Amino acid sequence: MLNSFMVKITASFISFILAFGTFFGAYKAPKTQEASKYFDDNIKNVIYLIGDGMGFNHLEKTKVEKNTELVMDTFEIKGSSMTRSFNKKVTDSAAGGTALSSGIRTNNSAVGVYPFDKQAKYSYPKNITELCMESGMLTGVVTSDATTGATPSSFSAHESNRNNTAELTADQFESGINFIWGLSNGVATKSNAEKAGYEYITTYDEMMSLEEGGYSYAQFNNNLWTIEQSDSETPTLEQMSMKAIDILDDTDEGFFLMIEGAHIDKHSHSNASDEMTESLESFDDTIEAVLEYAKADGETLVVVTADHETGAITPKGNGYIFTSGDHSAADVPVLVYGSDKLIAKGEKLNNYEIPIRIAYVLGFDETQFPVAVIV
Ligand SMILES: [Zn+2]
């Protein structure tokens, strides 16, 4: 999808979309705020952290089993999100990621497209990465999953199916995003990346030598979710995230960075408690480092949430157990640092409202996001 084809939606097309259901629901400011004041002019940067599959009880289970405290518990502004997709009460990561990136609900398996136009033949929803890019902000996507996993793809691609790896990769190379880093997807090649103007990297040292403002695509080859480096060539999620901030944070326009901790979900599907809790701790370590940056910076909004819960974790005795190997419809946390205008304490949002609120905190208005891009 070429940026040059992006055209703002017309009023008649908005009515057309509204006719399709409630997923495009009217934007409401938090109860404590006036809509007209819904702008936080201190905020220039956004770091959006998504713990794939992370419900409230994932945090409780980790604290009990690792006998540890979590930085995620220290956020003063905490609410929750109702996760569902357009066609199912229980969402997958594609529709869940699309809600979190684009402010709309779509069908399970779909990535950054409308439920009624899955091939993006006529239109697709602009995602928040594209919105930020258009305003001159630098952008980056970092994940412990493959670069074309459903969550990173929702912030960088528009395809009917999350399994269309070649098409998702091609979309990412056309996206204009400064960098997309994650595990090798088996499809992206050095020559394709370079043809698209992206530096192709595969090692920790190559990542660390990247400079500000360039374009890079990382295909690492070992686990990115462990607390310590899985080998000297492979960074941790925290190392990727800190390097990402380092090469994004020097412009007047600000930056948008999405960071996904993917294996909270993957290890919940297999009910692997030790691996799940380690993934969650690795994600929490990343959040700790991000918060330290944001506190020093003073102009950065940090939002932590999840696309859905996985494993239906339930209290039992003194602990917490998996009761399923699949996703559930349980609400997930929304944790915010940097602005009290995104969510009121204890407020429950629909998943698709989160990126809309981020856009409003950045100063965009409802004519700018969410909107359709006509193709
Ligand atoms: Zn999953």
Side-chain angles (χ1 to χ4, degrees):
M1 310 305 161
L2 294 173
N3 287 346
S4 54
F5 288 119
M6 291 183 177
V7 180
K8 275 201 194 117
I9 186 169
T10 62
S12 63
F13 198 75
I14 288 177
S15 333
F16 170 63
I17 288 165
L18 286 172
F20 274 87
T22 56
F23 65 97
F24 225 58
Y27 172 71
K28 284 192 297 237
K31 289 165 194 114
T32 53
Q33 300 294 329
E34 293 289 328
S36 59
K37 292 179 188 162
Y38 207 70
F39 175 68
D40 192 333
D41 53 9
N42 290 324
I43 295 297
K44 200 173 89 173
N45 311 314
V46 176
I47 305 175
Y48 195 6
L49 296 115
I50 298 175
D52 202 302
M54 185 181 75
F56 285 98
N57 284 340
H58 284 75
L59 279 64
E60 300 309 315
K61 184 175 172 68
T62 303
K63 285 188 283 183
V64 171
E65 294 180 14
K66 296 278 183 179
N67 192 22
T68 187
E69 294 182 346
L70 294 173
V71 170
M72 280 189 271
D73 272 340
T74 66
F75 281 77
E76 283 175 26
I77 305 170
K78 279 186 192 191
S80 60
S81 161
M82 281 184 286
T83 68
R84 56 159 300 151
S85 68
F86 185 73
N87 65 333
K88 298 274 189 218
K89 192 169 174 221
V90 176
T91 185
D92 73 343
S93 292
T98 300
L100 295 178
S101 69
S102 308
I104 64 131
R105 280 180 173 151
T106 192
N107 291 336
N108 283 2
S109 299
V111 175
V113 294
Y114 290 114
F116 52 85
D117 188 7
K118 286 200 285 191
Q119 307 299 331
K121 212 170 164 189
Y122 303 106
S123 69
Y124 58 85
K126 181 182 287 186
N127 62 49
I128 191 157
T129 328
E130 291 162 336
L131 178 75
C132 291
M133 216 179 329
E134 282 175 14
S135 77
M137 296 166 74
L138 297 185
T139 53
V141 168
V142 163
T143 179
S144 63
D145 197 359
T147 44
T148 44
T151 308
S153 291
S154 298
F155 286 81
S156 57
H158 303 276
E159 294 295 335
S160 59
N161 195 292
R162 59 186 291 172
N163 297 322
N164 296 347
T165 306
E167 289 84 352
L168 292 167
T169 307
D171 282 7
Q172 290 181 332
F173 286 155
E174 281 187 7
S175 68
I177 295 172
N178 289 87
F179 53 83
I180 300 172
W181 300 342
L183 202 60
S184 168
N185 69 2
V187 167
T189 62
K190 187 173 164 66
S191 80
N192 285 348
E194 286 175 355
K195 228 177 277 171
Y198 280 85
E199 187 172 345
Y200 183 84
I201 62 168
T202 59
T203 67
Y204 172 83
D205 287 344
E206 287 171 343
M207 180 188 82
M208 292 309 288
S209 66
L210 291 170
E211 289 174 10
E212 272 160 38
Y215 294 84
S216 57
Y217 196 87
Q219 296 284 272
F220 297 112
N221 290 300
N222 205 341
N223 288 327
L224 300 161
W225 58 269
T226 47
I227 291 172
E228 304 293 335
Q229 281 183 273
S230 52
D231 64 46
S232 62
E233 300 218 315
T234 310
T236 62
L237 186 66
E238 180 182 343
Q239 288 169 333
M240 284 195 287
S241 303
M242 290 302 101
K243 178 62 184 179
I245 291 170
D246 188 41
I247 59 175
L248 287 173
D249 85 336
D250 248 3
T251 63
D252 291 340
E253 288 78 16
F255 69 83
F256 173 86
L257 173 63
M258 194 287 287
I259 300 169
E260 183 201 21
H263 289 70
I264 300 165
D265 172 70
K266 292 183 194 302
H267 295 313
S268 293
H269 278 292
S270 54
N271 289 186
S273 289
D274 286 349
E275 288 82 355
M276 187 287 283
T277 52
E278 183 176 348
S279 311
L280 194 139
E281 278 194 293
S282 147
F283 186 58
D284 197 67
D285 288 350
T286 303
I287 294 166
E288 181 174 24
V290 162
L291 274 181
E292 200 175 305
Y293 165 79
K295 284 175 184 169
D297 176 66
E299 297 178 316
T300 299
L301 174 71
V302 179
V303 180
V304 180
T305 191
D307 48 359
H308 54 74
E309 197 270 356
T310 307
I313 295 180
T314 309
K316 189 176 181 193
N318 296 324
Y320 291 82
I321 56 161
F322 290 109
T323 63
S324 137
D326 218 328
H327 300 174
S328 82
D331 293 344
V332 296
V334 179
L335 313 173
V336 178
Y337 174 82
S339 172
D340 58 4
K341 298 177 177 65
L342 191 130
I343 190 168
K345 285 180 190 174
E347 187 179 5
K348 187 190 276 201
L349 298 178
N350 287 295
N351 51 0
Y352 65 85
E353 293 178 287
I354 299 170
I356 300 174
R357 298 238 178 147
I358 292 172
Y360 278 73
V361 171
L362 278 171
F364 295 103
D365 66 36
E366 66 274 10
T367 66
Q368 294 167 291
F369 190 81
V371 296
V373 176
I374 311 297
V375 292

